[in-house]
Amino acid sequence: TVEKDKKTIVFFGNSLSAAYGIEATQGFVGLTAKRIDSLGLPYEIVNAGLSGETTAGGKTRIEWILRQPVDIFILELGGNDALRGIDPEDSYKNLKFIVEKVKEKYPSAKIVLAGMEAPPNLGPEFTSKFRQMYPKLAKEYNASLIPFLLEGVGGIPELNLPDGIHPTPKGHQIVAKNVWAVLENLL
């Protein structure tokens, strides 16, 4: 339960938000919560990260998440779509649907989009289309953008678990900094 005087930040994402493979407190959402607490800021963090979640899955789950108050909504989906080679046009429509649902229910909520990159093996056209989804949405909805959530972590073996996809605790510390760089201005 959220205290009445606290605002709510919802991280709506996949295994990255869910801190796959490590302790939740070591993940970027847990680290962000810790930082907010240590600064004594009046925010409660809700981690709605679900491993394996796609933008289509998020679309079906959003109503349920919006049953609680939302002041800042951090949308961290799309990575699994890219890994599955889902058409960026479909992913974009799903992300747009989610943002619209949040705006509809909480018009004053601030939206943050966590940009992702598609793996290069999907080809330049796919990766380019995928990369453009996030800035395009941010512009359309006047949302804040984390250009690339895994900046400084993605593709660096020692900062990722053996699967090469999910960050280690050290990797999550860098991801938390990437998030903070944008989130700090909204608090």
Side-chain angles (χ1 to χ4, degrees):
T1 56
V2 175
E3 295 172 41
K4 281 198 173 30
D5 57 343
K6 284 200 174 185
K7 290 183 171 187
T8 307
I9 300 172
V10 174
F11 281 85
F12 190 65
N14 55 38
S15 56
L16 297 174
S17 290
Y20 174 87
I22 61 170
E23 291 294 319
T25 53
Q26 296 177 311
F28 76 87
V29 178
L31 295 169
T32 302
K34 199 169 153 188
R35 188 167 195 169
I36 282 173
D37 287 348
S38 73
L39 293 170
L41 298 169
Y43 288 91
E44 200 78 41
I45 293 219
V46 174
N47 187 341
L50 183 65
S51 285
E53 187 76 295
T54 58
T55 60
K59 190 176 163 179
T60 62
R61 196 165 60 106
I62 188 62
E63 296 279 355
W64 185 78
I65 296 298
L66 295 177
R67 294 200 314 214
Q68 68 201 337
V70 176
D71 296 287
I72 298 176
F73 186 84
I74 300 172
L75 180 53
E76 182 268 307
L77 285 175
N80 288 316
D81 293 41
L83 292 174
R84 294 174 188 189
I86 293 169
D87 183 350
E89 195 55 45
D90 293 337
S91 302
Y92 172 79
K93 285 177 188 156
N94 292 334
L95 291 170
K96 188 177 166 83
F97 178 90
I98 293 166
V99 171
E100 285 182 351
K101 280 286 173 211
V102 175
K103 283 295 201 190
E104 198 176 285
K105 183 137 188 209
Y106 299 107
S108 63
K110 294 172 185 164
I111 310 273
V112 178
L113 297 166
M116 286 301 292
E117 297 275 338
N121 64 330
L122 293 166
E125 191 187 341
F126 186 98
T127 53
S128 170
K129 269 174 136 176
F130 188 87
R131 183 180 298 127
Q132 290 164 14
M133 288 191 319
Y134 300 98
K136 186 178 168 190
L137 268 173
K139 205 172 171 183
E140 269 180 70
Y141 291 96
N142 196 18
S144 300
L145 177 67
I146 301 163
F148 178 38
L149 182 68
L150 298 176
E151 187 66 53
V153 178
I156 301 168
E158 60 275 17
L159 294 176
N160 288 280
L161 297 176
D163 65 15
I165 295 171
H166 298 97
T168 61
K170 195 169 166 39
H172 270 280
Q173 290 171 5
I174 296 167
V175 176
K177 285 183 184 134
N178 296 342
V179 170
W180 190 254
V182 173
L183 182 58
E184 187 179 17
N185 308 319
L186 304 176
L187 303 175

